[in-house]
């Protein structure tokens, strides 16, 4: 091992096979991102189902799993959300040992800044809600914020002064691609087929179209007992072939990194009000993100003004960042729902299940998405954690409105 | 950055515009007659195609008028813009 704290861990010698698809599986998962892989992992681990294929049109974890800003936290307002994301965080805390793979999980805490009196009220309400729900959370004054993250400008002489912040000490970051590789390695070891370069082009259905029995792919037809979609921004393109319309709009979500810098930023800082979130990755680059581009798009790129806006916000909060250089920017396609909460659910089509609608916040939930989607696929019914996240909530009106905790800042 | 042709002002940068989502979604003629599922469809569900998409924009920093556009969501090419109330043009 190197003594340089910024050095990346060594890869294990063996990661995964490159199998050809079999003609049939008990369960086929579409999408080998974090959620698809975590679902396969828990299908094998929790339910003993290993006759499973995970199909990926590109390469493993090449979509949003490689494009997010790696923030992990569970400080959501509503009970349904806090339960799901806290379940995820507790699993994250077990994964470094459980997956036997170092993915640099770093619980360095997250500050969610408040810049207006309404922000202060909403933030303190969220802290109280978190404390009642068993999620670690506290309210900090500007002086306490400055102690945790000295590089934030906490002076009152700014356009949007920092009036305080919520702090979740157990929140943090991880190295996202290593998480995917860790999951893939475990899935492969348990006999699951991870098939890259295999695009799903259509579905095999019963004559009346009420039931799916397989998928057509660029590598031939594959029969499946059950099919789980974990395809994020491309979910609608898949389901429209079945006439199934979902409450999803696909948007570009951009992020950027600076060049490598000495360690200067000790935690994760998010601000809904000025629209930016910032952490410093293990190797030293500042990682910044903001909100989605307003328009629908499947192009994995966004508009420069969105980047300019988030950098202006970042420099307002962190004046020293004015001297940093942008190394690169990119975008992923995120699947946004009307209530900013996901859908983990059976569908009106028998044997078709969806895990989608995670929008801008799917990475942090990877373990819980896998846990609940595996349960749903294995048993045909929702786990108690994802029962509120059914597709029919848009008909019943039982929405899980997390715009306050989720809409911009992830 | 998108370059969008306002039907009244001509081509302008995307930053002058606001986005309004899918075009040609009429308010239900008889709202009381709708089932909960039909309401959900009207309120929450919009098309989300990869390809040509008819959508609404407003020229907020210009003439402040709404209009419609057909844009390819797979390439971001704006194929056509046209006034509210006009038929969706045929685009290739």
């Amino acid at each position: 091992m190197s003594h340089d704290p910024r050095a990346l861990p060594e890869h294990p010698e063996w990661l995964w096979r490159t199998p050809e698809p079999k003609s049939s599986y008990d369960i086929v998962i579409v999408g080998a991102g974090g959620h698809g892989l975590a679902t396969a992992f828990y299908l094998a681990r929790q339910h003993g189902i290993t006759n499973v294929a995970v199909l990926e049109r590109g390469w493993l974890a090449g979509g949003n799993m490689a494009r997010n800003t790696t923030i992990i936290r569970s400080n959501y307002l509503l009970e349904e959300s806090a339960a799901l994301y806290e379940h995820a965080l507790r699993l994250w805390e077990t994964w470094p040992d459980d997956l036997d793979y170092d993915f640099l999980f770093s619980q360095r805490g997250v500050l969610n800044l408040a810049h207006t009196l309404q922000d202060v009220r909403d933030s303190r309400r969220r802290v109280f809600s978190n404390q009642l729900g068993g999620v670690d959370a506290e309210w900090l004054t500007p002086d306490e914020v400055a102690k945790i993250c000295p590089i934030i400008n906490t002076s009152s002489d700014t356009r949007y002064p920092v009036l305080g912040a919520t702090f979740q000490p157990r929140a943090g970051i991880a190295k996202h691609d290593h998480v995917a590789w860790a999951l893939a390695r475990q899935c492969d070891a348990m006999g699951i087929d991870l098939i890259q370069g295999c695009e799903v082009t259509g579905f095999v259905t019963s004559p009346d179209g009420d039931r799916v029995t397989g998928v057509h792919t660029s590598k031939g037809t594959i029969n499946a007992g059950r099919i789980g979609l974990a395809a994020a921004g491309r979910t609608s393109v898949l389901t429209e072939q079945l006439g199934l319309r979902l409450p999803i709009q696909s948007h570009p979500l951009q992020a950027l990194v600076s060049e490598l810098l000495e360690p200067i930023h000790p935690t994760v800082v998010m601000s809904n009000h000025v629209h930016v979130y910032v952490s410093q990755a293990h190797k030293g680059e500042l990682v910044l993100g903001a909100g989605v581009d307003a328009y629908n798009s499947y192009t994995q790129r966004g508009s420069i003004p969105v980047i300019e806006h988030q950098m202006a916000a970042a420099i307002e909060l962190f004046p020293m960042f004015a001297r940093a250089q942008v190394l690169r920017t990119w975008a992923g396609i995120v699947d946004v729902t009307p209530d900013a909460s996901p859908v983990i659910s059976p569908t009106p089509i028998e044997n078709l299940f969806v895990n989608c609608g995670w929008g801008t916040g799917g990475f942090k939930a990877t373990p819980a998405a896998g846990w609940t989607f595996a349960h749903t696929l294995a048993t045909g019914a929702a786990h108690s954690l994802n029962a509120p996240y059914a597709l029919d909530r848009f008909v019943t009106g039982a929405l899980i409105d997390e715009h306050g905790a989720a809409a911009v800042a992830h | 950055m998108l370059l969008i042709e306002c039907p009244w002002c001509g081509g302008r940068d995307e930053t002058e515009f606001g986005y309004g989502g899918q075009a040609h979604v009429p308010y239900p003629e008889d709202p009381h007659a709708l089932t909960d599922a039909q309401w959900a469809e009207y309120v929450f569900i919009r098309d989300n195609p990869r390809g040509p998409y008819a959508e609404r924009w407003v020229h907020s920093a210009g003439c402040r008028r709404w209009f419609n556009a057909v844009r390819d969501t797979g390439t971001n090419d704006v194929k056509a813009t046209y006034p509210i109330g006009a038929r969706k043009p045929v685009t290739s």
Side-chain angles (χ1 to χ4, degrees):
Chain A
M1 287 293 287
S2 162
H3 293 293
D4 183 344
R6 292 166 300 178
L8 295 176
E10 297 287 324
H11 289 301
E13 280 189 26
W14 174 256
L15 288 171
W16 60 83
R17 297 164 294 133
T18 304
E20 286 301 307
K22 296 191 287 186
S23 62
S24 174
Y25 293 91
D26 293 341
I27 293 176
V28 163
I29 296 165
V30 182
H35 287 201
L37 293 168
T39 303
F41 173 69
Y42 283 124
L43 277 172
R45 176 69 73 85
Q46 296 298 116
H47 304 279
I49 301 171
T50 57
N51 186 23
V52 173
V54 187
L55 310 183
E56 171 54 54
R57 66 190 280 275
W59 60 93
L60 192 138
N64 295 346
M65 189 60 174
R67 295 162 194 268
N68 61 74
T69 50
T70 83
I71 298 168
I72 294 166
R73 63 188 177 90
S74 64
N75 55 351
Y76 279 65
L77 173 67
L78 301 172
E79 285 176 21
E80 298 90 340
S81 318
L84 188 65
Y85 292 103
E86 178 62 17
H87 187 72
L89 181 48
R90 288 180 188 170
L91 291 172
W92 278 114
E93 288 169 336
T94 68
W95 270 13
D97 288 338
D98 204 15
L99 300 181
D100 188 27
Y101 194 129
D102 186 0
F103 56 82
L104 303 173
F105 182 42
S106 166
Q107 289 178 287
R108 57 183 64 188
V110 62
L111 289 165
N112 291 79
L113 304 181
H115 301 276
T116 67
L117 289 176
Q118 190 60 45
D119 264 359
V120 171
R121 293 185 198 108
D122 290 344
S123 300
R124 297 192 69 193
R125 178 185 177 213
R126 184 161 47 74
V127 167
F128 293 143
S129 172
N130 288 160
Q131 289 171 345
L132 288 170
V135 174
D136 59 318
E138 53 197 285
W139 170 253
L140 303 183
T141 64
D143 288 345
E144 291 169 322
V145 169
K147 275 186 200 131
I148 287 175
C149 189
I151 60 174
I152 296 181
N153 180 6
T154 51
S155 84
S156 57
D157 186 25
T158 60
R159 176 68 183 83
Y160 297 107
V162 174
L163 301 182
T166 68
F167 187 55
Q168 183 180 24
R170 287 164 61 240
I173 56 174
K175 193 152 174 57
H176 45 198
D177 41 8
H178 285 224
V179 174
W181 300 335
L183 287 166
R185 179 165 164 266
Q186 291 289 339
C187 287
D188 182 87
M190 292 187 285
I192 289 164
D193 285 353
L194 309 176
I195 302 166
Q196 305 179 73
C198 181
E199 181 169 9
V200 171
T201 55
F203 294 88
V204 188
T205 63
S206 58
D208 58 12
D210 290 349
R211 182 162 50 94
V212 288
T213 60
V215 286
H216 299 299
T217 79
S218 54
K219 294 194 172 189
T221 298
I222 303 170
N223 295 313
R226 284 179 175 151
I227 299 168
L229 304 183
R234 290 182 178 270
T235 309
S236 300
V237 175
L238 291 166
T239 60
E240 76 179 3
Q241 302 185 53
L242 293 162
L244 175 62
R245 285 160 58 79
L246 297 173
I248 286 175
Q249 297 283 286
S250 295
H251 291 267
L253 176 64
Q254 301 190 71
L256 65 93
V257 289
S258 73
E259 79 274 44
L260 307 188
L261 302 168
E262 292 297 315
I264 47 165
H265 183 14
T267 182
V268 180
V269 172
M270 311 179 68
S271 168
N272 277 19
H273 196 77
V274 301
H275 286 209
V276 73
Y277 38 94
V278 189
S279 66
Q280 185 170 22
H282 192 79
K283 276 190 301 178
E285 65 266 45
L286 296 169
V287 183
L288 287 82
V292 297
D293 280 53
Y295 49 82
N296 292 24
S297 183
Y298 287 84
T299 62
Q300 285 174 318
R301 62 177 191 269
S303 295
I304 287 294
V306 176
I307 295 286
E308 288 176 332
H309 186 73
Q310 77 188 56
M311 287 201 293
I315 290 168
E316 171 87 356
L317 287 176
F318 303 93
M320 65 154 60
F321 288 2
R323 294 173 64 184
Q325 308 290 320
V326 174
L327 190 65
R328 63 180 189 279
T329 75
W330 65 90
I333 300 303
V334 299
D335 40 343
V336 176
T337 59
D339 61 356
S341 288
V343 176
I344 316 160
S345 177
T347 70
I349 297 165
E350 192 179 340
N351 295 335
L352 181 73
F353 299 80
V354 289
N355 167 68
C356 63
W358 287 95
T360 59
F363 174 71
K364 71 173 74 66
T366 300
W371 183 278
T372 56
F373 201 37
H375 179 97
T376 307
L377 279 164
T379 65
H383 186 278
S384 59
L385 284 170
N386 68 308
Y389 294 91
L391 203 45
D392 70 2
R393 74 176 186 268
F394 298 97
V395 174
T396 64
L399 304 183
I400 305 166
D401 186 352
E402 276 291 2
H403 284 284
V408 171
H410 267 279
Chain B
M1 169 100 76
L2 305 183
L3 182 63
I4 300 169
E5 186 85 10
C6 171
W8 292 280
C9 307
R12 301 291 184 90
D13 285 350
E14 172 197 335
T15 48
E16 294 191 14
F17 298 87
Y19 187 63
Q22 186 178 358
H24 308 294
V25 182
Y27 190 74
E29 286 205 7
D30 183 4
H32 294 286
L34 263 53
T35 64
D36 287 353
Q38 287 168 324
W39 257 122
E41 175 84 15
Y42 170 68
V43 174
F44 294 124
I45 300 188
R46 294 292 178 271
D47 292 344
N48 189 26
R50 185 181 193 281
Y53 188 47
E55 60 193 13
R56 302 180 300 179
W57 290 86
V58 59
H59 193 183
S60 309
C63 61
R64 300 173 64 187
R65 285 199 270 189
W66 284 91
F67 61 93
N68 291 337
V70 176
R71 185 177 51 90
D72 188 322
T73 62
T75 62
N76 286 343
D77 289 340
V78 180
K79 303 287 190 185
T81 54
Y82 54 103
I84 295 281
R87 277 178 180 278
K88 179 182 161 185
V90 177
T91 55
S92 57

